[in-house]
Amino acid sequence: MTYDFDLFVIGAGSGGVRAARFAAGYGARVAVAESRYLGGTCVNVGCVPKKLLVYGAHFADDFEQAQGFGWSVGEAKFDWPTLITNKNREIERLNGIYRNLLVNSGVTLLEGHARIVDDHSVELDGKRYSAKHILIATGGWPHIPEVPGHEHAIGSNEVFFLQQLPKRVLVIGGGYIAVEFASIFNGLGSHTSLLYRGDLFLRGFDNAVRNHLQEELTKHGVDLQFNSDIARIDKQADGSLLATLKDGRKLEADCIFYATGRRPMLDNLGLENTHVELDERGYIKVDAKYQSSTPSILAIGDVIGRVQLTPVALAEGMAVARRLFKPEEYRTVDYQTIPTAVFSLPNIGTVGLSEEQAREEGYRVQVFESRFRPMKLTLTESQERTLMKLVVDADTDRVLGCHMVGPEAGEIVQGLAIALKAGATKQIFDETIGVHPTAAEEFVTMRTPVSS
Ligand code: NDP
C-alpha cells in the first residue's frame, strides 16, 4: 500500500521536531502537524523563557553584590513589561528558526489540530492524510487541582504572559517549576510564598540538596510553607485573592500560581479510533521502541511520561527516526545517568543516584561533601553557601551520584555526567587536576568521606 507520508508527526515540540527533521534527513516523506506553537512547551512556555526570567531575577543579587567590588549603582528599578516584551521577541525569533529548520529539511508543516482516524490516517482541517507510521509527540499540559475557585489561579501557560509583576504571589507545588518560579518572583521583587503539601519540597532529589536549597531560599527571602495546601480561593472586592488553607489559615495574594505537575496532552486526539493503550497514570503506553499497542502508532516525549525533560525527548525522537529510517545508526536511549538542573537561585545540578536511592538499591555507600562560601561572594554581604556532594559505591569505588547547589550548578553537572556515564571511579575524580580557582574543582578535591 502507498501512503501520503512515511511518518506523520503530531506535535512540533522538542521531540516531534527532532524526529521529523532526522527522518526527513534520512529520505523519509514526513509531515508534522502543530495546532499551537512551533517548538512546543520548551520554547514557548517552558525551559527557554523560564531561563530568561531566571537571568532577569539574578540581577537583584548582582546589583547588591557589585557594591563589594567598589561599584555604586543608583537605585535599581525593574520593569516587568520590558522583560516580557523582550522575551516574547526572542521566542518569536526561535519560532521562526523552528519553522525554517522543518521546511528546509523537507518536512511538510501542517498548522492545525490533527486527529487520528484510524491506524494509518490522520485528519486535519477536514483533510485526510495517510501515513505508514504516526508519531504522537503532543507533550503535556499543566495540571491544576480542582479546588473551589481554581479558575482564579494560573498555571505555567499563563505565568509567562502576566501583564504586571504581582506584588504578592503564592506558588503552589514543590517540584521543578514551583521552585524555579519562587526564585524568579522573589528575585524580581514580589513577596513570594511557596506552599508545598509535604514535609520538604523536591521529592526524589538528594536530601542534602533539598535541605540546602530550603536554607538558601529562606536566606534569599522566599517564605517557604511546608505541609500547607489550599482548600479554596476567593476573589475579593479589590481584585486580590484570598486563599483559605486546609488548616484554616488565610493568605492574601495578587497571584496564585499552581505548579502541581503536568498531564499528558491527549485532548481530541482520536485515540478512541485506535487500540492505543494508556498506562495507569494516563500516559501512552509504549514498548522499548516507542511503539504503542497499535504497531503503526508510536509516541515519545512528555506524552509517554517517562522523564519529562527536553533532552530526553530529543534523544527519543532521534531513536525513532533512526530505527525506522536509518536502522544501522539506531541506538537505544540510556535513561540511567540523566543529568538535570533546577534553575532556582541558587541552581541545583544533579546526575546519578541520590544517597537515599543508592542505599535503597543496596549499595554500601560512601559520601563526600563540601560546603563553602563561593569566592565571588567573599567581598560581599551575601551569606549564600554552596553544597557539593558525591555518592560513591564503597565496594567498587564507582561514583554513583554528583549533586550540587550553587551558582552554575547546571553548567558544572554536564561535564560530571560524562564522567559518570563513562563509569568513573572516585580515584579517577581524585587524579583529575582541578581548574583553579573555581567552585567546580571541589568535585576533584574531596578527600575524606563524611559518612559511610
Ligand atoms: P513536578 O512533578 O516536578 O512537581 C509537582 C509538584 O506538585 C510536586 O511537588 C507534587 O507534590 C505537587 N503536587 C502534585 N499534585 C498536587 C496537588 N493536587 N496538590 C498539591 N500539590 C500537588 O511537576 P512540575 O509541574 O514542577 O514540572 C513538571 C515537569 O516538567 C517536571 O517533572 C520536570 O520533568 C519538567 N521540568 C523540568 C525543568 C528543568 O529541567 N529545569 C523545569 C521545569 C519543569 P508531591 O511531591 O507531594 O507529589
Side-chain angles (χ1 to χ4, degrees):
M1 172 163 180
T2 54
Y3 297 99
D4 297 330
F5 296 103
D6 300 313
L7 179 68
F8 193 108
V9 182
I10 307 179
S14 306
V17 168
R18 179 59 66 96
R21 284 179 50 217
F22 269 67
Y26 297 145
R29 293 166 308 134
V30 183
V32 176
E34 173 56 56
S35 59
R36 210 166 295 115
Y37 26 53
L38 297 178
T41 301
C42 177
V43 169
N44 294 278
V45 287
C47 334
V48 176
K50 180 274 309 289
K51 188 89 188 272
L52 294 174
L53 299 194
V54 170
Y55 283 133
H58 197 268
F59 278 98
D61 282 350
D62 293 335
F63 287 128
E64 212 171 287
Q65 291 161 12
Q67 294 170 35
F69 294 86
W71 289 92
S72 22
V73 278
E75 193 203 339
K77 282 202 200 113
F78 170 69
D79 184 54
W80 172 263
T82 302
L83 176 58
I84 295 303
T85 305
N86 291 344
K87 179 271 290 178
N88 290 345
R89 201 176 43 231
E90 173 59 8
I91 302 307
E92 274 170 32
R93 189 181 74 83
L94 296 175
N95 294 146
I97 288 178
Y98 266 71
R99 181 178 300 279
N100 290 340
L101 281 175
L102 284 172
V103 173
N104 293 343
S105 57
V107 173
T108 303
L109 175 61
L110 301 166
E111 288 180 86
H113 181 82
R115 202 178 136 73
I116 301 174
V117 284
D118 63 39
D119 293 357
H120 289 282
S121 323
V122 174
E123 210 169 64
L124 186 142
D125 283 341
K127 230 179 136 190
R128 193 177 273 223
Y129 302 89
S130 63
K132 186 164 186 213
H133 308 280
I134 297 170
L135 176 63
I136 303 173
T138 47
W141 199 251
H143 157 75
I144 299 183
E146 298 214 339
V147 296
H150 67 89
E151 65 278 8
H152 302 306
I154 61 164
S156 58
N157 285 346
E158 295 81 28
V159 72
F160 291 103
F161 302 98
L162 289 174
Q163 299 287 315
Q164 283 173 346
L165 179 69
K167 287 202 171 65
R168 300 161 300 177
V169 190
L170 302 183
V171 178
I172 319 303
Y176 281 82
I177 300 180
V179 167
E180 292 180 340
F181 268 91
S183 289
I184 290 170
F185 281 124
N186 180 61
L188 296 179
S190 303
H191 180 274
T192 308
S193 303
L194 182 150
L195 275 60
Y196 172 56
R197 63 182 176 182
D199 291 335
L200 183 59
F201 56 12
L202 294 171
R203 189 164 56 83
F205 284 77
D206 190 281
N207 278 347
V209 165
R210 299 165 77 194
N211 284 308
H212 194 87
L213 193 75
Q214 175 191 4
E215 285 165 25
E216 290 307 326
L217 290 186
T218 304
K219 276 186 211 164
H220 278 81
V222 180
D223 166 36
L224 295 177
Q225 302 200 20
F226 297 152
N227 297 307
S228 300
D229 207 354
I230 291 183
R232 64 173 297 122
I233 300 169
D234 290 286
K235 192 157 193 156
Q236 309 195 99
D238 63 357
S240 67
L241 301 174
L242 183 68
T244 306
L245 306 195
K246 287 184 175 162
D247 59 12
R249 283 182 298 137
K250 292 185 188 295
L251 297 175
E252 270 197 8
D254 305 296
C255 172
I256 298 180
F257 169 47
Y258 272 90
T260 41
R262 296 170 64 81
R263 65 173 174 89
M265 179 33 99
L266 302 171
D267 300 358
N268 194 22
L269 194 58
L271 289 189
E272 65 282 8
N273 302 325
T274 70
H275 292 99
V276 171
E277 284 175 28
L278 306 183
D279 67 18
E280 60 289 348
R281 299 173 307 145
Y283 292 89
I284 293 182
K285 210 157 119 182
V286 291
D287 64 12
K289 295 171 179 168
Y290 307 102
Q291 202 163 292
S292 74
S293 323
T294 297
S296 59
I297 302 180
L298 304 116
I300 54 165
D302 287 2
V303 81
I304 63 169
R306 280 195 187 163
V307 183
Q308 302 194 347
L309 298 173
T310 280
V312 175
L314 297 177
E316 292 170 348
M318 224 136 64
V320 164
R322 283 183 174 142
R323 186 177 67 77
L324 296 180
F325 306 111
K326 190 96 173 165
E328 63 275 24
E329 286 183 14
Y330 173 59
R331 284 185 294 278
T332 54
V333 178
D334 176 9
Y335 290 93
Q336 287 311 307
T337 32
I338 297 174
T340 175
V342 182
F343 294 100
S344 46
L345 294 173
N347 289 186
I348 295 173
T350 177
V351 59
L353 300 182
S354 68
E355 180 180 345
E356 297 75 31
Q357 285 163 339
R359 290 191 194 284
E360 249 168 55
E361 289 186 19
Y363 288 101
R364 211 159 57 81
V365 169
Q366 262 192 333
V367 172
F368 296 80
E369 228 177 72
S370 175
R371 292 169 196 263
F372 55 95
R373 196 161 170 228
M375 185 181 177
K376 186 183 170 192
L377 302 183
T378 53
L379 304 188
T380 75
E381 302 287 311
S382 170
Q383 296 305 312
E384 183 181 309
R385 291 176 74 77
T386 287
L387 164 75
M388 288 181 177
K389 175 167 175 175
L390 290 176
V391 180
V392 178
D393 177 356
D395 294 322
T396 63
D397 198 41
R398 199 158 64 87
V399 179
L400 302 171
C402 307
H403 309 278
M404 173 175 176
V405 183
E408 310 299 355
E411 303 287 343
I412 291 169
V413 83
Q414 181 67 81
L416 296 171
I418 301 172
L420 258 65
K421 197 158 161 42
T425 57
K426 178 68 169 63
Q427 191 183 338
I428 290 180
F429 271 58
D430 293 344
E431 288 170 4
T432 302
I433 308 285
V435 179
H436 189 68
T438 63
E441 70 179 315
E442 282 292 315
F443 271 118
V444 296
T445 54
M446 289 188 249
R447 295 283 180 259
T448 319
V450 290
S451 70
S452 57

